[in-house]
Every structure is written in structure tokens, then in C-alpha cells.
Amino acid sequence: MDFRQFLIPSFYDTLLPMLTSDFNFDLPQELIAQHPSGVRGQDKLMVLERLSGRVEHQAMDDLPSFIEPGTVMVFNNSRVRRARVYGIKESTGRETEFMFLNTIDKDCCVWNVMVKAAKKQKPGMRYTFPDGTTALMVEHAGNEGTEFRALKFDSPLDEEWFERNGHIPLPPYIKRGDCEEDSERYQNVYATDTGSAACPTAGLHFTEDMLSRLDKAGVERCFVTLHVGLGTFLPVREESVEKHKMHEEWYTIPAETAEKVNRAKKEGRPVLAVGTTSVRTLESAYQSLHGLPGQDSKENDGSQWIGATTSSTSIFMYPGFKFNVVDKMFTNFHTPESTLIMLVSAFAGREHILDAYKEAVAHHYRFFSYGDCMLIR
């Protein structure tokens, strides 16, 4: 008999040091979705029970029947920037691909970027972009030996500049260039605040009709903003999970959201986070208010779980992490050995997640950004 079946999810995972390879799984290439489904919201839905590991195979259209009235659903309203921009290196005339992440110095118009063939891109090189704008690569502490560089422009870049010059930043496992379809389908219907270098893709399954149905079913909705950057999608390169360091990402929690979440927690109603970015935002806000466990932490007296705030987070959630705010999670199927599969494994137990992923493969679910979805409850 396997004694692990009697343990709570993720407890067994903490008994031994975890390796990144512990979060690997076999995935046929043909199950990696290269395009969105024909109609937004017409996707498969797997329902996973956290404690038992039991799964049900449903459709996204059935989601409201699995969410009890009074639940507070928290969505990330960040909008994707057209952040992939191609410049011409003036010294060679060759095209160079940049992923614009965030400003390093707004006053000096310096941007933090990821760049392909980074070893060949050095401070002092100048690049010309499609509209004739030029930028100089400058030194920035911490970029040495990495794929990150700093570009200094003569004047600030606004969102219109990215609309004119940029492309939708599809993830690398989508083996094609972006097209007009992606301009609409790689954005959430409720996205309002531009700044992400990748889409919070759990939200791609929601339509205006689905949101209306959830409202009518007595589900409360509210929003946070976390601009997706390196902290979310940078791969884990360390052999030992604990050695991986997350990059910082900025998030905002409005007062209305903090009020709804706090009231739900006080009244014993569930908080359902839509997407791993919403999970990271809510749990980061809890830690910001109450401190890290064992490090001058302030015990929650039941009066407040999170507060309205704008802050940054480098939170890394893997098995053994204690969730204080999130009770349920709606998410996509994630890449092997990623921080995202580690996060959902922390929530539902590594064995349960890996077993569910095997089920998903057997039932031909579509994986990753444009793929199918999972409700963990």
C-alpha cells in the first residue's frame, strides 16, 4: 500500500529535496496548440479535486455549474504589449529580435530587453527600428553573461510606438509568426492595462457571455493587475528547485478587490484565482501584509488578508508553499519543468498534477497558451 494516498497534497513532496526533473512529463508535440480554438471559449475543461486527485472531463461551457454562488473570482486584467520588436544593427545591417520587458530608467528612456544572439549584442552598438527610431545599447549591472540587455532611446516610447513597430509576443513553443488573428485572440476580453510581455492565458477561455453567466450565477468578479514578465515565463535552469530565483514583476490590487477578497475570507466564501498570475498576486499581497513565514511574520487575526497596494513580487511557489488566500484555481496546462507547473503542484500536489496531465494527454487535451483549461478545487 502506498502511504502517500493518506497525506495531504504537497506534504510528501517536501520530504525530500526536489529536482527540476521531478516536474517533467511526456507530451506529444502534436498536443501543443499552435492556434487558438475555432471559437473563443469552446475548449475542454478538466476539473481536478485537490484532495483526492479525482478528475472529470467537461467543457468550458459547463464552468458555472462547478462554481458555487458567493465565490469571488479574481482575474488579471493586464493587456499584452506588442513587445516583440525587430531592429537593424547598424554595423552589420542584420535584423535583431528584441523582447521589451520594462523601463529601467524612464527619465533616460532606457529599456530592459531580452535579445536573441545576446553574445553578439554589446554596449555601444546602435539599432534602427521600423519607424526610423534609433537606440544605443548601454551597459547595465547584472546583464553580463545573460540574454538581457539595456537599450537607450533618445525619447520615451509610448504604446503607440509598440503598436506601430511591434509584434504580438507569442511564446517560443508556438512555431509560427504572429498574425492578425493573434491581435484579438492573444488578449483577454477584459484586459485593460497594457504592460505584459506574455498573456495571462487562463483568461483566454472567457467570453463576455461566460462572464455574464457567472454574474447571473451569483459569482463575484474583481481584478488585479500583474504585468507578465520574466518572473512568469523564464525557464528553470537550476537542477535543484530551491536554487531557482524569480525575477520581479509589478502588481496592483485595487481597493475594491481587496475589500471583496477580505469580505469573502471572513465569511468563509471561496476565492477562485483565474491564472497563476492572479495566484501570485494574491499570495504576494498576503505576505506583504503579514510577512514571510518564520521571518517576523504577523499572524492573521481574521480582519484582513490583503490590502490595496502597488508593489513588486519575486514569489516562487513550489510544493510545500502554504496558500493563505486562494482556495480554488482556474488555469491552463503548463510546460514541463516550469515554475508554473511547480505552482499548481504546490496547490494540488505534484502526484495529482502529473497524474492529471497524463489523463489530459490520453484524452488529447491541447496544451499551453492556446490550449485547454483546468479547474482545481
Side-chain angles (χ1 to χ4, degrees), residues 300-351:
N300 182 15
D301 61 6
S303 63
Q304 190 177 28
W305 274 257
I306 63 172
T309 184
T310 293
S311 187
S312 64
T313 180
S314 57
I315 193 170
F316 182 22
M317 305 163 76
Y318 53 87
F321 181 89
K322 180 184 177 184
F323 291 83
N324 291 287
V325 182
V326 177
D327 304 297
K328 302 181 181 183
M329 188 189 310
F330 181 93
T331 186
N332 278 12
F333 291 88
H334 303 294
T335 53
E337 301 186 356
S338 64
T339 61
L340 304 181
I341 193 172
M342 294 173 188
L343 186 155
V344 295
S345 294
F347 192 68
R350 185 175 64 93
E351 294 297 330

Coordinates of all heavy atoms in Angstrom, one line a residue, residues 300-351:
N300 N -2.3 36.4 11.0 CA -3.6 37.0 10.5 C -4.6 36.8 11.6 O -5.0 35.7 12.0 CB -4.0 36.3 9.2 CG -5.3 36.9 8.7 OD1 -5.7 38.0 9.1 ND2 -6.0 36.3 7.8
D301 N -5.2 37.9 12.1 CA -6.2 37.9 13.2 C -7.6 37.7 12.6 O -8.6 37.8 13.4 CB -6.1 39.1 14.1 CG -6.3 40.4 13.3 OD1 -6.7 40.4 12.1 OD2 -6.2 41.5 13.9
G302 N -7.7 37.5 11.3 CA -9.0 37.3 10.7 C -9.7 38.6 10.3 O -10.8 38.6 9.8
S303 N -9.0 39.7 10.4 CA -9.6 41.0 10.0 C -9.2 41.4 8.6 O -9.9 42.2 7.9 CB -9.2 42.1 11.0 OG -7.7 42.3 11.0
Q304 N -8.0 41.0 8.1 CA -7.6 41.4 6.8 C -6.6 40.4 6.2 O -5.6 40.0 6.9 CB -6.9 42.8 6.9 CG -6.6 43.4 5.5 CD -6.1 44.8 5.6 OE1 -5.4 45.1 6.6 NE2 -6.3 45.6 4.6
W305 N -6.8 40.0 5.0 CA -6.0 39.0 4.3 C -5.0 39.8 3.4 O -3.8 39.5 3.3 CB -6.8 38.0 3.5 CG -7.2 36.8 4.4 CD1 -6.6 35.6 4.3 CD2 -8.2 36.8 5.4 NE1 -7.3 34.7 5.2 CE2 -8.3 35.5 5.9 CE3 -9.1 37.7 5.8 CZ2 -9.2 35.1 6.8 CZ3 -10.0 37.3 6.8 CH2 -10.0 36.0 7.3
I306 N -5.6 40.7 2.6 CA -4.8 41.5 1.7 C -5.2 43.0 1.8 O -6.3 43.3 2.3 CB -4.9 41.0 0.2 CG1 -6.3 41.2 -0.3 CG2 -4.5 39.6 0.1 CD1 -6.5 41.0 -1.8
G307 N -4.3 43.9 1.3 CA -4.6 45.3 1.3 C -4.5 45.8 -0.2 O -3.9 45.2 -1.0
A308 N -5.1 47.0 -0.4 CA -4.9 47.7 -1.7 C -3.5 48.2 -1.8 O -3.0 48.8 -0.8 CB -5.9 48.8 -1.8
T309 N -2.8 47.8 -2.9 CA -1.4 48.2 -2.9 C -0.9 48.1 -4.4 O -1.5 47.5 -5.2 CB -0.5 47.2 -2.1 OG1 0.8 47.6 -2.0 CG2 -0.6 45.8 -2.6
T310 N 0.2 48.8 -4.6 CA 1.1 48.5 -5.8 C 2.5 48.2 -5.3 O 3.0 48.9 -4.5 CB 1.1 49.8 -6.7 OG1 -0.2 50.1 -7.2 CG2 2.1 49.6 -7.8
S311 N 2.9 47.0 -5.8 CA 4.2 46.6 -5.3 C 4.8 45.6 -6.3 O 4.3 45.4 -7.4 CB 4.0 45.8 -3.9 OG 5.3 45.5 -3.3
S312 N 6.0 45.1 -5.9 CA 6.6 44.1 -6.8 C 6.7 42.7 -6.1 O 6.7 42.7 -4.8 CB 8.0 44.5 -7.3 OG 8.9 44.7 -6.2
T313 N 6.9 41.7 -6.9 CA 7.0 40.4 -6.2 C 8.0 39.5 -7.0 O 8.1 39.6 -8.2 CB 5.6 39.6 -6.2 OG1 5.8 38.3 -5.6 CG2 5.0 39.4 -7.6
S314 N 8.7 38.7 -6.3 CA 9.5 37.6 -6.9 C 9.2 36.3 -6.2 O 10.0 35.4 -6.1 CB 11.0 38.0 -6.7 OG 11.3 38.1 -5.3
I315 N 7.9 36.2 -5.8 CA 7.5 35.0 -5.1 C 7.6 33.7 -5.9 O 7.3 33.8 -7.1 CB 6.0 35.2 -4.6 CG1 5.6 34.1 -3.6 CG2 5.1 35.2 -5.8 CD1 4.2 34.3 -3.0
F316 N 8.1 32.7 -5.3 CA 8.3 31.4 -6.0 C 7.6 30.3 -5.3 O 7.9 30.1 -4.1 CB 9.8 31.1 -6.1 CG 10.2 29.8 -6.8 CD1 9.3 29.2 -7.8 CD2 11.4 29.1 -6.6 CE1 9.6 28.1 -8.4 CE2 11.7 28.0 -7.3 CZ 10.8 27.4 -8.2
M317 N 6.6 29.7 -5.9 CA 5.7 28.8 -5.2 C 5.9 27.4 -5.8 O 5.6 27.2 -7.0 CB 4.2 29.3 -5.5 CG 4.1 30.8 -5.1 SD 2.6 31.6 -5.7 CE 1.4 30.8 -4.7
Y318 N 6.4 26.5 -4.9 CA 6.6 25.1 -5.3 C 6.1 24.3 -4.1 O 5.8 24.8 -3.0 CB 8.0 24.9 -5.6 CG 9.0 25.3 -4.6 CD1 9.4 24.5 -3.6 CD2 9.6 26.6 -4.7 CE1 10.4 24.9 -2.6 CE2 10.6 27.0 -3.8 CZ 10.9 26.2 -2.8 OH 11.9 26.6 -1.8
P319 N 6.0 23.0 -4.2 CA 5.4 22.1 -3.2 C 6.0 22.4 -1.8 O 7.2 22.5 -1.6 CB 5.7 20.7 -3.7 CG 5.6 20.8 -5.1 CD 6.2 22.2 -5.5
G320 N 5.1 22.6 -0.8 CA 5.5 23.0 0.5 C 5.0 24.4 0.8 O 4.9 24.8 2.0
F321 N 4.7 25.2 -0.2 CA 4.2 26.5 -0.1 C 2.8 26.5 0.6 O 1.9 25.7 0.2 CB 4.1 27.2 -1.4 CG 3.6 28.7 -1.3 CD1 4.5 29.7 -1.1 CD2 2.3 29.0 -1.4 CE1 4.1 31.0 -1.0 CE2 1.8 30.3 -1.3 CZ 2.7 31.3 -1.1
K322 N 2.6 27.4 1.6 CA 1.3 27.4 2.2 C 0.4 28.5 1.6 O 0.8 29.7 1.5 CB 1.4 27.7 3.7 CG 0.1 27.8 4.4 CD 0.2 28.2 5.9 CE -1.1 28.4 6.6 NZ -1.0 28.9 8.0
F323 N -0.7 28.2 1.0 CA -1.7 29.1 0.4 C -2.6 29.7 1.5 O -3.2 29.0 2.2 CB -2.5 28.5 -0.7 CG -1.7 28.1 -1.9 CD1 -0.9 26.9 -1.9 CD2 -1.6 28.9 -3.0 CE1 -0.2 26.5 -3.0 CE2 -0.8 28.6 -4.1 CZ -0.1 27.4 -4.1
N324 N -2.6 31.0 1.6 CA -3.4 31.7 2.6 C -4.7 32.4 2.1 O -5.6 32.6 2.8 CB -2.5 32.7 3.3 CG -1.4 32.1 4.1 OD1 -1.7 31.5 5.2 ND2 -0.2 32.2 3.7
V325 N -4.7 32.7 0.8 CA -5.8 33.5 0.2 C -6.6 32.6 -0.8 O -7.8 32.5 -0.7 CB -5.3 34.7 -0.5 CG1 -6.5 35.5 -1.0 CG2 -4.5 35.6 0.5
V326 N -5.9 31.9 -1.7 CA -6.5 31.2 -2.8 C -7.1 29.9 -2.3 O -6.3 29.1 -1.8 CB -5.5 31.1 -4.0 CG1 -6.2 30.3 -5.1 CG2 -5.1 32.4 -4.5
D327 N -8.3 29.6 -2.6 CA -9.0 28.4 -2.3 C -9.2 27.5 -3.5 O -9.2 26.3 -3.4 CB -10.4 28.6 -1.7 CG -10.3 29.5 -0.5 OD1 -9.6 29.1 0.5 OD2 -10.8 30.6 -0.5
K328 N -9.3 28.1 -4.7 CA -9.5 27.4 -5.9 C -8.8 28.1 -7.0 O -8.5 29.3 -6.9 CB -11.0 27.3 -6.3 CG -11.9 26.6 -5.2 CD -13.3 26.5 -5.6 CE -14.1 25.8 -4.5 NZ -15.6 25.7 -4.9
M329 N -8.5 27.3 -8.1 CA -7.7 27.9 -9.2 C -8.2 27.5 -10.5 O -8.5 26.3 -10.7 CB -6.2 27.5 -9.0 CG -5.2 28.2 -10.0 SD -3.6 27.5 -9.9 CE -3.2 27.4 -8.1
F330 N -8.3 28.4 -11.5 CA -8.6 28.1 -12.9 C -7.3 28.4 -13.7 O -6.7 29.5 -13.5 CB -9.7 29.0 -13.4 CG -10.1 28.7 -14.8 CD1 -11.1 27.8 -15.1 CD2 -9.5 29.4 -15.8 CE1 -11.5 27.6 -16.4 CE2 -9.8 29.1 -17.2 CZ -10.8 28.2 -17.5
T331 N -6.9 27.4 -14.5 CA -5.5 27.6 -15.1 C -5.5 26.8 -16.4 O -6.4 26.0 -16.7 CB -4.5 27.1 -14.1 OG1 -3.2 27.4 -14.6 CG2 -4.6 25.6 -13.7
N332 N -4.4 27.0 -17.1 CA -4.1 26.2 -18.3 C -3.2 25.0 -17.9 O -2.9 24.8 -16.8 CB -3.4 27.1 -19.4 CG -4.4 27.9 -20.2 OD1 -5.5 28.0 -19.8 ND2 -3.9 28.5 -21.2
F333 N -2.8 24.2 -18.9 CA -1.9 23.2 -18.8 C -0.5 23.7 -19.1 O -0.3 24.3 -20.1 CB -2.2 22.0 -19.7 CG -3.5 21.3 -19.2 CD1 -4.7 21.7 -19.7 CD2 -3.4 20.2 -18.4 CE1 -5.9 21.0 -19.3 CE2 -4.6 19.5 -18.0 CZ -5.8 20.0 -18.4
H334 N 0.5 23.5 -18.2 CA 1.7 24.2 -18.3 C 2.9 23.4 -18.8 O 2.8 22.1 -18.8 CB 2.1 24.8 -16.9 CG 1.0 25.6 -16.3 ND1 0.7 26.8 -16.9 CD2 0.1 25.5 -15.3 CE1 -0.3 27.4 -16.2 NE2 -0.7 26.6 -15.3
T335 N 4.0 24.1 -19.2 CA 5.1 23.4 -19.8 C 5.9 22.6 -18.7 O 5.9 22.9 -17.5 CB 6.1 24.4 -20.4 OG1 6.4 25.4 -19.4 CG2 5.4 25.1 -21.6
P336 N 6.5 21.5 -19.2 CA 7.3 20.7 -18.2 C 8.4 21.5 -17.6 O 9.0 22.4 -18.2 CB 7.9 19.6 -19.1 CG 7.0 19.5 -20.3 CD 6.5 20.9 -20.5
E337 N 8.7 21.2 -16.3 CA 9.8 21.8 -15.6 C 9.7 23.3 -15.4 O 10.8 23.9 -15.2 CB 11.2 21.3 -16.2 CG 11.3 19.8 -16.2 CD 12.7 19.4 -16.7 OE1 13.5 20.3 -17.1 OE2 13.0 18.2 -16.7
S338 N 8.6 23.9 -15.6 CA 8.4 25.3 -15.5 C 8.0 25.7 -14.0 O 7.5 24.9 -13.3 CB 7.4 25.8 -16.5 OG 6.1 25.3 -16.1
T339 N 8.2 27.0 -13.7 CA 7.7 27.5 -12.4 C 6.2 27.4 -12.3 O 5.6 27.3 -11.2 CB 8.1 28.9 -12.2 OG1 7.6 29.8 -13.2 CG2 9.6 29.1 -12.2
L340 N 5.5 27.4 -13.4 CA 4.0 27.3 -13.4 C 3.5 25.9 -13.0 O 2.6 25.8 -12.2 CB 3.5 27.7 -14.8 CG 3.9 29.1 -15.3 CD1 3.3 29.4 -16.7 CD2 3.6 30.2 -14.3
I341 N 4.1 24.9 -13.6 CA 3.7 23.5 -13.1 C 4.1 23.3 -11.7 O 3.4 22.6 -11.0 CB 4.3 22.4 -14.1 CG1 3.5 21.1 -13.8 CG2 5.8 22.3 -13.9 CD1 3.9 20.0 -14.8
M342 N 5.2 23.9 -11.2 CA 5.6 23.8 -9.8 C 4.5 24.5 -9.0 O 4.2 24.0 -7.9 CB 7.0 24.4 -9.6 CG 8.1 23.7 -10.3 SD 9.7 24.5 -10.2 CE 10.7 23.5 -11.3
L343 N 4.0 25.6 -9.4 CA 3.0 26.4 -8.6 C 1.7 25.5 -8.5 O 1.2 25.4 -7.4 CB 2.7 27.7 -9.3 CG 1.7 28.7 -8.6 CD1 2.0 30.1 -9.0 CD2 0.3 28.3 -8.8
V344 N 1.2 25.0 -9.6 CA 0.0 24.2 -9.5 C 0.2 22.9 -8.7 O -0.7 22.4 -8.0 CB -0.6 23.9 -10.9 CG1 -1.1 25.2 -11.5 CG2 0.3 23.1 -11.8
S345 N 1.5 22.4 -8.8 CA 1.8 21.2 -7.9 C 1.8 21.6 -6.5 O 1.4 20.7 -5.6 CB 3.2 20.7 -8.4 OG 3.2 20.2 -9.7
A346 N 2.2 22.8 -6.1 CA 2.1 23.2 -4.7 C 0.7 23.3 -4.3 O 0.4 23.0 -3.1 CB 2.8 24.6 -4.6
F347 N -0.2 23.6 -5.2 CA -1.6 23.8 -4.8 C -2.4 22.5 -4.7 O -3.2 22.3 -3.8 CB -2.3 24.7 -5.9 CG -3.6 25.2 -5.5 CD1 -3.8 26.1 -4.5 CD2 -4.8 24.8 -6.2 CE1 -5.0 26.6 -4.1 CE2 -6.0 25.3 -5.8 CZ -6.2 26.2 -4.8
A348 N -2.1 21.6 -5.6 CA -2.9 20.3 -5.7 C -2.1 19.1 -5.4 O -2.6 18.0 -5.3 CB -3.5 20.2 -7.0
G349 N -0.7 19.2 -5.2 CA 0.1 18.0 -5.0 C 0.7 17.6 -6.3 O 0.1 17.5 -7.4
R350 N 2.0 17.3 -6.3 CA 2.8 17.0 -7.5 C 2.2 15.7 -8.2 O 2.0 15.7 -9.4 CB 4.3 16.9 -7.2 CG 5.1 16.6 -8.5 CD 6.6 16.6 -8.1 NE 6.9 15.5 -7.2 CZ 7.3 14.3 -7.6 NH1 7.5 14.1 -8.9 NH2 7.5 13.3 -6.7
E351 N 2.0 14.7 -7.4 CA 1.5 13.5 -8.0 C 0.1 13.6 -8.6 O -0.2 13.1 -9.7 CB 1.4 12.4 -6.9 CG 2.8 11.9 -6.4 CD 3.7 11.3 -7.4 OE1 3.2 10.7 -8.4 OE2 4.9 11.5 -7.4

